[in-house]
Amino acid sequence: MNGLDRLIHEPARLVVVALLNSVQQADFLWLLRESGLSKGNLSSHLAKLEEGGYVQVEKTFRGKIPLTLLQLTPPGRAAFQAYRKSMTGLLARRGARR
Amino acid sequence: MTEQYPNLSDLQSRPLRYWNIDGLPELMMGLVWILWGGAFLLGESLPKGGAHNFYWMLVPAILCLSGVASNWAVKRLKQRITYPRTGFVEMKPPSRAARLAAAAVAVVCAMALAALVVRARANEVQTMISPIVGVLVSLAFLVASVRLKAPHYLALAGVSLALGLAFGAFQLGWESLNYLFIALGAACAATGALRLALFLKRHPAGAAE
């Protein structure tokens, strides 16, 4: 468990990272809807991921409506792939021990 | 821990499912199929002559452009209808492996159809073409239904199979294929329109960030 990336391992952040990994980029509204998190909760998780350099946040406008575009950075994508690989290995080892 | 662990495979497939949330892709695909069937029917009804020849020169371009145009229209409509209501997503470009796999499937299908046309007798091909296309479209809907977890595609798979067999039974020859595409397109467009209406009802305008 010590080898797991703590920034991604938290379940809500894992959902956010997994969703962002499946797209090129998405806006806050889509992520809010798909993750099932509250606005405040999602914002705080995104701030942590941005701080860690995993997510790039771009604030722009669609007409007169504010639009927050989110994208996983290359280190973010690499960290997610590494996390997934180590988690799959961990779960396989647990399954083999039973 | 395993109970709380999110289903990553399910999360990875969400964007693909989201693309179908509003019924727009089906609606446009249905309209394109109606156009294809209609274009061939119209061409066959034209009297032989200059206009007939000119029309058949245009048909391949119309068929090719209709695919590109429908793709463009779906994107534009999503920008106006879907993204302001439920959010914007830009899909990942397909990987090299996925492109190669799609190309391989297209080549295999084209070769199988060409072999069928060359090896079988003309009458047999004319009789079997509608059921064969019906089965192929039905299989495609079946795969889409499983991949996208969309039960309404199962209904469309059943409709495709039934229409293919029915038009085959009418023994209309190649013309049956045109009617099949028009009927399939109408079914697809109707499903898409219904799903779009439901989407608009569930997500009224003004749902912004």
Side-chain angles (χ1 to χ4, degrees):
Chain A
M1 289 293 284
N2 289 337
L4 291 176
D5 187 334
R6 304 303 302 179
L7 192 57
I8 294 181
H9 187 57
E10 200 281 327
R13 277 199 293 275
L14 178 58
V15 169
V16 171
V17 172
L19 284 169
L20 284 177
N21 184 60
S22 62
V23 297
Q24 190 69 26
Q25 62 174 356
D27 70 356
F28 187 86
L29 184 60
W30 180 77
L31 206 55
L32 187 70
R33 199 176 157 275
E34 293 292 333
S35 66
L37 299 170
S38 68
K39 278 186 184 179
N41 209 351
L42 179 58
S43 292
S44 79
H45 285 306
L46 282 171
K48 280 178 188 158
L49 288 167
E50 190 183 14
E51 217 173 276
Y54 285 2
V55 168
Q56 185 187 322
V57 182
E58 186 193 342
K59 302 228 178 226
T60 178
F61 284 87
R62 185 198 291 130
K64 288 179 182 173
I65 301 165
L67 179 72
T68 307
L69 289 173
L70 307 153
Q71 192 174 13
L72 219 54
T73 59
R77 287 193 196 275
F80 177 69
Q81 295 306 329
Y83 173 84
R84 198 170 182 182
K85 205 173 165 186
S86 54
M87 200 64 190
T88 309
L90 191 72
L91 290 174
R93 279 201 298 278
R94 268 189 76 171
R97 236 182 276 159
R98 279 183 185 168
Chain B
M1 184 195 72
T2 44
E3 283 76 24
Q4 288 180 349
Y5 192 69
N7 184 343
L8 296 182
S9 302
D10 178 67
L11 291 169
Q12 296 281 302
S13 67
R14 295 270 188 93
L16 202 58
R17 275 187 266 157
Y18 181 68
W19 188 253
N20 278 288
I21 192 176
D22 47 20
L24 280 170
E26 282 155 66
L27 181 60
M28 292 311 295
M29 188 169 69
L31 293 177
V32 166
W33 283 353
I34 291 172
L35 177 76
W36 288 2
F40 277 92
L41 268 185
L42 181 67
E44 282 161 14
S45 66
L46 283 175
K48 301 266 184 207
H52 179 270
N53 294 341
F54 180 69
Y55 179 81
W56 281 111
M57 273 171 62
L58 286 181
V59 167
I62 291 171
L63 298 188
C64 291
L65 284 177
S66 63
V68 179
S70 75
N71 201 19
W72 176 83
V74 167
K75 283 181 183 164
R76 294 288 297 177
L77 286 169
K78 277 184 179 287
Q79 276 173 9
R80 290 188 71 94
I81 296 169
T82 315
Y83 299 154
R85 286 174 168 83
T86 50
F88 163 76
V89 166
E90 186 185 328
M91 298 288 174
K92 265 187 187 175
S95 65
R96 195 180 152 82
R99 279 187 195 155
L100 284 174
V105 169
V107 168
V108 168
C109 285
M111 283 171 71
L113 271 177
L116 178 81
V117 171
V118 170
R119 288 182 70 90
R121 280 178 292 183
N123 275 350
E124 285 172 353
V125 175
Q126 284 188 23
T127 315
M128 292 304 292
I129 194 72
S130 282
I132 288 171
V133 172
V135 167
L136 287 177
V137 174
S138 178
L139 283 174
F141 275 129
L142 202 65
V143 171
S145 171
V146 173
R147 279 194 71 194
L148 304 175
K149 294 182 183 170
H152 69 281
Y153 279 147
L154 269 183
L156 281 173
V159 169
S160 307
L161 190 63
L163 284 173
L165 295 175
F167 280 113
F170 286 142
Q171 307 258 324
L172 293 170
W174 286 107
E175 210 172 310
S176 67
L177 199 57
N178 305 333
Y179 290 118
L180 175 65
F181 268 102
I182 291 174
L184 274 177
C188 223
T191 315
L194 184 67
R195 294 189 63 235
L196 179 61
L198 285 172
F199 173 80
L200 292 175
K201 198 177 168 187
R202 279 186 202 140
H203 306 282
E209 194 173 311

